[in-house]
Amino acid sequence: MLVDDSFMDRELAREAFALMDPQTTLMAVESGSAALVLLNAPAAVLPDVVLLDINMPGMNGFDVLQALKQQPRLHLLPVVMLSTSSSKQDITHAYSLHASGYIVKSVAFQPFIDQVDTFLAFWKQALLTTSAQLIFP
């Protein structure tokens, strides 16, 4: 799931994910409150990971991250902050709220494609490792 208020960034991400891994389903929402509504729906299928922008109107990414980590059903959901901010303060704040990762979003298309490729490879491996541990404890 991608949570980003920028229509252009959501479309760029959809294009990048489709290009790098057509089997991956990317659900994109325009706000933190919309993400929380979807994730809290009784029959919601939780995503493998949430990519969360920081700078959004209304609920910013830190507010959303904090809300996710306070809910028993959602607190273990991996959340990776995806922001143009490389501020040490933002990065530290994200990890203090238990973000699983932090990616400084490239504004150019090809470097962003490379970031998506690296991200997908990492999370696929993480999911395989977690699945193997569940099968073979």
Side-chain angles (χ1 to χ4, degrees):
M1 172 183 275
L2 171 66
V3 183
D4 197 317
D5 63 308
S6 167
F7 175 78
M8 293 303 294
D9 286 350
R10 289 192 311 271
E11 290 304 306
L12 177 65
R14 280 188 180 104
E15 190 173 327
F17 274 76
L19 183 64
M20 299 316 298
D21 188 357
Q23 278 87 19
T24 297
T25 301
L26 178 67
M27 179 186 350
V29 295
E30 71 284 349
S31 70
S33 57
L36 291 173
V37 167
L38 285 173
L39 293 170
N40 282 307
V45 176
L46 297 181
D48 293 324
V49 63
V50 174
L51 288 166
L52 181 57
D53 185 25
I54 292 175
N55 298 310
M56 297 184 289
M59 276 188 109
N60 68 32
F62 297 127
D63 296 334
V64 177
L65 178 59
Q66 190 167 24
L68 290 170
K69 296 304 177 181
Q70 291 175 346
Q71 297 180 37
R73 182 170 177 263
L74 304 174
H75 80 278
L76 293 178
L77 190 61
V79 179
V80 175
M81 307 310 280
L82 180 65
S83 178
T84 56
S85 171
S86 60
S87 158
K88 183 175 175 142
Q89 183 178 0
D90 284 345
I91 295 168
T92 300
H93 191 199
Y95 284 119
S96 74
L97 294 172
H98 305 287
S100 301
Y102 194 104
I103 299 172
V104 178
K105 180 175 20 178
S106 177
V107 294
F109 185 69
Q110 189 55 51
F112 182 70
I113 290 289
D114 295 340
Q115 286 178 313
V116 168
D117 189 35
T118 301
F119 171 80
L120 286 170
F122 175 83
W123 282 104
K124 283 183 178 183
Q125 185 59 45
L127 288 172
L128 286 174
T129 303
T130 303
S131 296
Q133 289 176 353
L134 292 174
I135 295 170
F136 305 105

